[in-house]
Amino acid sequence: MNIFIQTLQTEFEENANSKIALEQKAYMRNQFEYYGIKTPKRREITKPFLNKKFLPKKSDLESYVKILWQKPQRDYHYFAQELAFKYTKELDKKDIELFEFMVTHNSWWDTVDFIAPKLISAYFKTYPKERDTYIKRWIASENIWLQRSALLFQLKDKEKIDTNLLTFVIHSLINSKIGSKEFFINKAIGWILREYSKTNPDWVVNFAQTNDLSNLSRREALRLIKK
């Protein structure tokens, strides 16, 4: 494990750019440190580490992710979630605990918006009986990032989206003390409705017209609808 992460650290350090790092840090409201490596370059650097023959054992994934997730540079967090994505065909029932950890630590939209539609979505497809229990728990948690995950895990489901569940989640959040006023929740409501409008615009128009959405949510939901 040490060699794998130390080698990754060496690659990041050798490609660091302090000017870009300051720009990236400012864009994320100074919440995280950065090496100053732009996404295409970071993916080029990390590609060998994600090669199947060099991947850690699945049983070690949690340890790797948590070590990477606790490092100050955001670059490690991006790599950790991409590493976890490599194992979505080998998910264990307990992996949802790791995904919750990732959502609730060093939380911000950039990682949650990867974890929810890619990792959590894959998990609920593998363990569908776990879905409703966790969604209800996240809605009640008052953690906006878990709540955002409850919305966005269906983001790419197109015609397979569970509109009954989506309706339940949105209603629960717009009627909650936090969700009804929270930018990141209202933005996510609009985002998933806008995404679904590509598949079922009539449903989205009707939903937006018959529910008490925030102006932000409604505007985002209807952005792609032809007038």
Side-chain angles (χ1 to χ4, degrees), residues 1 11 35 60 63 141 165 171 181 185 207-208 210 213 225:
M1 184 183 302
E11 290 293 324
Y35 279 112
D60 293 331
S63 297
S141 70
L165 178 64
H171 284 172
K181 299 178 182 179
I185 296 299
F207 188 90
T210 57
L213 302 179
I225 304 294

Side-chain angles (χ1 to χ4, degrees), residues 59-112:
S59 58
D60 293 331
L61 177 63
E62 181 177 354
S63 297
Y64 275 84
V65 168
K66 287 188 174 179
I67 289 172
L68 292 163
W69 213 260
Q70 292 175 46
K71 288 182 174 292
Q73 291 87 359
R74 198 61 162 167
D75 314 71
Y76 290 112
H77 310 163
Y78 297 148
F79 172 73
Q81 62 189 18
E82 290 162 0
L83 178 65
F85 185 66
K86 286 291 183 176
Y87 299 87
T88 51
K89 294 183 179 179
E90 306 173 51
L91 290 169
D92 297 315
K93 198 169 184 179
K94 66 180 180 62
D95 285 334
I96 192 64
E97 298 173 8
L98 175 61
F99 301 154
E100 282 186 316
F101 171 87
M102 296 165 74
V103 168
T104 57
H105 291 76
N106 283 317
S107 308
W108 202 240
W109 62 264
D110 55 333
T111 49
V112 170

